[in-house]
Amino acid sequence: MDIIPEQQPFLQEIDQSLFTRKVARLSMLRLDVIHKHVSGNKWYKLKENIRLCQQKEIIKLLTFGGGYSNHLAATAAMANISGLQSVGVVRGRYDTLTPTLRFCIDNGMQLHFVSFEEYKQKDNPTYIHELASQFNYPFIIPEGGANEEGRVGAEEIACYIPDDFTHITVSVGTGTTMVGIVNATQSIVTGFAPMKGGAYIEGEVKQYIETAKHQSYTVKDLWHFGGFGKSTNDLITFMNEFYMQNNIPLDMVYTAKMMWGVKDCIHKGEYPTNAKILCIHTGGLQGNSSIAEKLIYK
Ligand SMILES: *Cc1c(COP(=O)(O)O)cnc(C)c1O
């Protein structure tokens, strides 16, 4: 069975009227609209994994994530719509389930809670082998969908990016999505890391970049707002203002921090005034549940 998005991504212009400095064009690629439950980049990263799984006639997926992980939620939903079983190896124990974990269970995901210590072994082949035998040899997807299928799947996002954009911005977690985009476009790509010290991702992903094409990319980590998953009142105010101006809902963990960073970079003159910048909305709106009462949108 082929899985198709509910809605095609589209481009939307971003209002720069309140910006102190402007660029020739600032647009957003709305990947957040493609599916109610598998929004944004997760769709593309998981697509090829599901395809491979089906090709190998494996009926179960296993992956990893924390209690608020967009990847875990997306995997549960995508397995569900593809008729596959799923197992989520969850970092830490929870007395009460987070909305994300509740969503995973509602989508038929079997949750396997492990200690922080055990979770650290998630990429250790011996541990993976033990998990595989325990769960009857599922198809294993690393945390964040960070594998070859994920990177190749993310290249498809480039189909929605017109050639005349000189710059592309994307939020990075594992950097998998950014690699796909860098490998499939000619534009200058900036990755915005939403965690402290996240600029190291730039070096981590280097091995996956097809250097023959001389793509230019950097990862910036100035706009972490206290760390991964953390937010401030200023960030939430920015999200509400951005929504009022553009009618675009941003997520607190990734895309809001990226857009703040983009605005700041434009303000500081880091992009030339003739730049045509495309910002990718990677989705992740389920991550707003913890600040829902402070937002003017859902
Ligand atoms: C998971 C996620 C990312 C990070 O994607 P990577 O491919 O791991 O870099 C970015 N934005 C959103 C909204 C996400 O959910």
Side-chain angles (χ1 to χ4, degrees):
M1 184 190 80
D2 209 21
I3 31 178
I4 35 175
E6 292 172 338
Q7 194 185 326
Q8 286 300 307
F10 60 87
L11 284 183
Q12 185 176 339
E13 299 314 306
I14 294 174
D15 184 357
Q16 298 183 63
S17 59
L18 297 178
F19 285 22
T20 46
R21 198 192 278 255
K22 297 176 188 19
V23 289
R25 189 175 175 196
L26 185 64
S27 315
M28 188 159 239
L29 176 62
R30 300 283 308 272
L31 300 181
D32 58 309
V33 300
I34 63 176
H35 196 276
K36 202 164 9 86
H37 298 307
V38 197
S39 76
N41 61 338
K42 302 298 183 280
W43 178 277
Y44 299 93
K45 291 199 287 183
L46 286 168
K47 230 172 113 220
E48 294 304 314
N49 279 289
I50 303 259
R51 201 197 302 277
L52 188 60
C53 191
Q54 289 172 334
Q55 199 181 316
K56 292 184 166 182
E57 299 187 354
I58 301 173
I59 56 164
K60 198 194 272 184
L61 292 173
L62 179 146
T63 196
F64 304 84
Y68 297 90
S69 162
N70 291 339
H71 167 70
L72 213 55
T75 306
M78 200 117 163
N80 196 9
I81 33 187
S82 319
L84 298 168
Q85 298 169 20
S86 63
V87 178
V89 178
V90 184
R91 181 184 56 219
R93 318 228 176 236
Y94 292 82
D95 292 332
T96 46
L97 291 175
T98 64
T100 305
L101 295 175
R102 170 61 38 215
F103 175 85
C104 291
I105 291 175
D106 291 345
N107 278 273
M109 182 175 257
Q110 178 187 352
L111 298 182
H112 177 64
F113 294 92
V114 301
S115 66
F116 277 66
E117 248 349 89
E118 182 172 337
Y119 190 86
K120 281 187 196 147
Q121 299 189 62
K122 64 183 166 35
D123 299 315
N124 173 337
T126 316
Y127 179 65
I128 301 266
H129 188 78
E130 278 168 27
L131 274 180
S133 69
Q134 183 178 350
F135 290 100
N136 206 12
Y137 299 96
F139 183 88
I140 295 182
I141 303 176
E143 182 186 58
N147 60 8
E148 188 57 22
E149 286 71 35
R151 289 185 287 273
V152 170
E155 288 187 16
E156 192 179 321
I157 297 170
C159 303
Y160 303 102
I161 305 178
D163 285 341
D164 63 330
F165 283 100
T166 54
H167 297 75
I168 297 170
T169 79
V170 63
S171 185
V172 303
T174 61
T176 307
T177 307
M178 183 182 72
V179 169
I181 290 166
V182 170
N183 283 338
T185 63
Q186 299 296 318
S187 317
I188 299 166
V189 179
T190 313
F192 288 85
M195 65 293 238
K196 280 186 185 163
Y200 83 97
I201 302 279
E202 185 178 314
E204 291 279 291
V205 301
K206 199 164 179 218
Q207 58 186 312
Y208 307 118
I209 304 285
E210 293 161 18
T211 44
K213 295 189 203 151
H214 298 293
Q215 296 91 342
S216 162
Y217 72 99
T218 44
V219 177
K220 296 178 189 271
D221 61 10
L222 276 181
W223 302 274
H224 56 67
F225 295 85
F228 188 74
K230 303 257 168 63
S231 67
T232 63
N233 287 333
D234 283 352
L235 185 69
I236 294 169
T237 303
F238 171 72
M239 291 165 75
N240 283 329
E241 282 170 2
F242 192 85
Y243 183 78
M244 280 193 281
Q245 272 172 2
N246 300 291
N247 206 24
I248 301 177
L250 297 174
D251 85 292
M252 162 199 113
V253 180
Y254 293 99
T255 53
K257 294 180 181 181
M258 171 184 77
M259 287 317 297
W260 185 303
V262 169
K263 196 174 162 223
D264 217 17
C265 288
I266 293 174
H267 174 72
K268 289 180 188 157
E270 291 184 21
Y271 290 109
T273 49
N274 63 355
K276 293 181 179 170
I277 308 174
L278 181 68
C279 309
I280 299 179
H281 194 320
T282 38
L285 294 165
Q286 69 99 21
N288 281 343
S289 57
S290 65
I291 55 160
E293 73 285 359
K294 294 181 184 165
L295 293 175
I296 58 168
Y297 59 90
K298 273 203 298 175

